[in-house]
């Protein structure tokens, strides 16, 4: 994407352009290129020039109401994005401006343009995405998920937009995105499955005893299959009830929202990236083991089944303001990766055996 316009005034290495704003974004760092006018398209209503961008000659540094200011010399820092469509063996390399508002939007627009030209624009399709967003001096943001349905590629593009927006506009400090790499396997078919039933071997367990779960699923063609997992019974007192929720990300997410009831939002880049990397995935089956004992949720972390004395310490500490009481304490959460986007859930009430 580029925009061509007239040079208003040259003052040494400073060039005043357009005589009007580009986006009126204030301080910016856009590449400045020479442009060649190919032809003029005449029109009584709205004539315009057809131009072509040439070599880079500097950087646009200001985008103000009165004009755009450029400086001759080195170009700006650009964020590279690589997209590899594995099934088509095609790679796309893109460079985007480094801007808190434009980078998120341009990353999503670029992905949508690739998908709309290389894939069917209407109809069911599936995207298996493996990608990383590299942030300087921070942990990498990882994306490893399957998207399936009529809006599969827009869901992925919107996720990348949201991640870039929240990371670049974090509350703590300025960050630098070094690059974005995505490897995508696509197919023009839907890959979804429903949890039909969950079988459990018994209702009472000793502390630490293995629990055998068989999760029965049915795909979009009506074909049934199952996945098995062994989990451990929690180390609780005799006769204590505990619960197992087997479900998709939405079901488990709704449970957490009702249980936690916190308005906490990560205030540091490290906490924000941790929260993004811990986002639940559509192609996972989640198994949450919990008990009806109170806990605390403090700054994005759950502290389950706390002793009364420790709970009082946390509640009385003025440094732990971003906290909420939990009705249920999560003891352990497991996940199973599947080859389909999962829907459905099952709930069990179990008990620790009397010794």
């Amino acid at each position: 994407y580029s925009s061509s316009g007239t040079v208003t005034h040259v003052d040494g290495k400073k060039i005043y352009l357009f005589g009007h704003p580009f986006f009126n974004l204030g301080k910016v760092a856009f590449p400045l290129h020479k442009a060649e006018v190919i032809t003029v398209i005449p029109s009584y209503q709205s004539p315009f020039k057809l131009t072509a961008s040439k070599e880079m000659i500097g950087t646009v540094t200001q985008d103000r109401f009165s004009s755009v200011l450029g400086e001759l010399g080195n170009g700006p820092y650009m964020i590279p994005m690589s997209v590899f469509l594995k099934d088509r063996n095609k790679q796309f390399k893109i460079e985007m401006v480094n801007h808190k508002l434009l980078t998120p939007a341009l990353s999503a627009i670029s992905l949508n343009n690739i998908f709309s030209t290389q894939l069917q624009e209407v109809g069911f399709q599936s995207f298996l995405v493996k990608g990383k967003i590299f942030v300087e001096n921070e942990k990498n943001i990882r994306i490893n998920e399957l998207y399936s349905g009529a809006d599969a590629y827009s869901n992925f593009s919107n996720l990348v937009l949201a991640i870039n927006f929240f990371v670049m506009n974090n509350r703590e400090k300025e960050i630098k995105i070094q690059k974005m790499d995505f490897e995508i396997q696509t197919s023009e078919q839907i890959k979804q499955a429903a949890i039909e039933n969950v079988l459990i071997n018994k209702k009472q367990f000793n502390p630490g005893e293995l629990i055998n779960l068989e999760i029965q699923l049915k795909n979009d063609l009506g074909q049934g299959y199952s996945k098995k997992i062994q989990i451990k019974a929690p180390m609780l007192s005799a006769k204590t009830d505990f619960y197992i929720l087997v479900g998709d990300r939405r079901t488990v997410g709704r449970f957490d929202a009702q249980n936690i009831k916190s308005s906490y939002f990560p205030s540091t880049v490290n906490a924000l990236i941790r929260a993004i990397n811990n986002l639940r995935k559509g192609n996972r089956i989640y198994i949450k083991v919990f008990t009806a004992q109170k806990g605390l949720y403090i700054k994005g972390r759950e502290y389950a089944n706390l002793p009364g004395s420790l709970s009082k310490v946390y509640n009385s500490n003025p440094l732990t303001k971003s906290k909420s009481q939990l009705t249920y304490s999560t003891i352990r959460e497991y996940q199973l990766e599947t080859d389909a986007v999962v829907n459905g859930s099952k709930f069990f009430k179990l008990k620790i055996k009397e010794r």
Side-chain angles (χ1 to χ4, degrees), residues 79-83 92 94 96-97 103-104 106-108 111 131-134 160-161 163-164 168 177-182:
I79 300 174
M81 181 169 74
S82 172
V83 181
F92 299 85
I94 299 161
M96 293 173 290
V97 296
T103 301
L106 290 173
S107 60
L111 288 169
K132 289 182 180 179
I133 299 175
F134 297 82
V160 174
L161 184 154
I163 289 173
N164 286 332
M168 297 185 77
I177 295 179
Q178 295 174 314
K179 63 176 179 175
M180 293 179 256
D181 290 340
F182 303 110

Side-chain angles (χ1 to χ4, degrees), residues 5-237:
T6 55
V7 175
T8 305
H9 177 67
V10 178
D11 182 11
K13 288 191 174 183
K14 292 183 178 181
I15 303 179
Y16 297 87
L17 309 165
F18 292 12
H20 58 79
F22 185 30
F23 291 119
N24 201 14
L25 292 172
K27 186 178 179 180
V28 294
F30 299 161
L32 177 64
H33 290 249
K34 284 184 178 179
E36 177 186 358
V37 177
I38 306 299
T39 187
V40 177
I41 308 299
S43 168
Y44 285 114
Q45 183 178 4
S46 181
F48 63 93
K49 299 179 180 70
L50 190 64
T51 65
S53 296
K54 310 296 279 187
E55 69 272 17
M56 187 187 299
I57 57 172
T59 302
V60 174
T61 58
Q62 298 286 340
D63 177 18
R64 302 291 178 177
F65 180 77
S66 56
S67 69
V68 173
L69 174 64
E71 292 188 12
L72 298 175
N74 296 327
Y77 172 73
M78 304 286 283
I79 300 174
M81 181 169 74
S82 172
V83 181
F84 179 60
L85 299 182
K86 194 173 179 181
D87 53 305
R88 284 163 169 73
N89 195 30
K90 281 189 176 181
Q91 188 161 26
F92 299 85
K93 292 185 178 292
I94 299 161
E95 286 189 330
M96 293 173 290
V97 296
N98 182 28
H99 190 273
K100 291 182 177 181
L101 297 179
L102 290 182
T103 301
L106 290 173
S107 60
I109 291 169
S110 299
L111 288 169
N112 283 332
N113 285 344
I114 291 171
F115 299 146
S116 62
T117 56
Q118 298 297 313
L119 309 170
Q120 62 179 24
E121 197 162 358
V122 179
F124 294 120
Q125 51 197 325
S126 298
F127 280 60
L128 179 60
V129 180
K130 293 182 180 180
K132 289 182 180 179
I133 299 175
F134 297 82
V135 182
E136 189 174 68
N137 299 324
E138 300 290 343
K139 290 185 177 179
N140 298 331
I141 297 169
R142 302 182 305 274
I143 300 175
N144 184 6
E145 189 168 358
L146 174 69
Y147 303 85
S148 187
D151 52 0
Y153 75 65
S154 61
N155 285 342
F156 168 57
S157 300
N158 290 338
L159 175 69
V160 174
L161 184 154
I163 289 173
N164 286 332
F165 177 82
F166 283 112
V167 171
M168 297 185 77
N169 293 276
N170 73 85
R171 302 174 182 178
E172 183 187 18
K173 61 184 180 182
E174 294 285 332
I175 61 98
K176 181 179 180 181
I177 295 179
Q178 295 174 314
K179 63 176 179 175
M180 293 179 256
D181 290 340
F182 303 110
E183 180 181 284
I184 304 171
Q185 178 74 43
T186 68
S187 64
E188 294 182 350
Q189 60 182 11
I190 197 165
K191 292 184 179 180
Q192 296 182 357
I195 297 174
E196 293 284 298
N197 197 14
V198 179
L199 304 179
I200 194 165
N201 51 338
K202 52 186 179 179
K203 297 293 184 180
Q204 294 190 7
F205 297 88
N206 292 314
E209 184 180 354
L210 290 178
I211 302 173
N212 295 309
L213 294 175
E214 181 181 346
I215 305 164
Q216 298 178 340
L217 302 110
K218 187 176 286 186
N219 65 19
D220 55 293
L221 299 176
Q223 299 167 336
Y225 62 101
S226 64
K227 283 188 167 288
K228 296 180 180 181
I229 186 173
Q230 284 188 326
I231 63 175
K232 284 187 176 183
M235 304 299 291
L236 299 172
S237 304

Side-chain angles (χ1 to χ4, degrees), residues 324-338:
S324 64
Q325 295 281 348
L326 301 177
T327 305
Y328 299 97
S329 288
T330 301
I331 297 169
R332 185 77 184 270
E333 184 173 300
Y334 304 82
Q335 57 178 280
L336 274 173
E337 187 170 352
T338 70

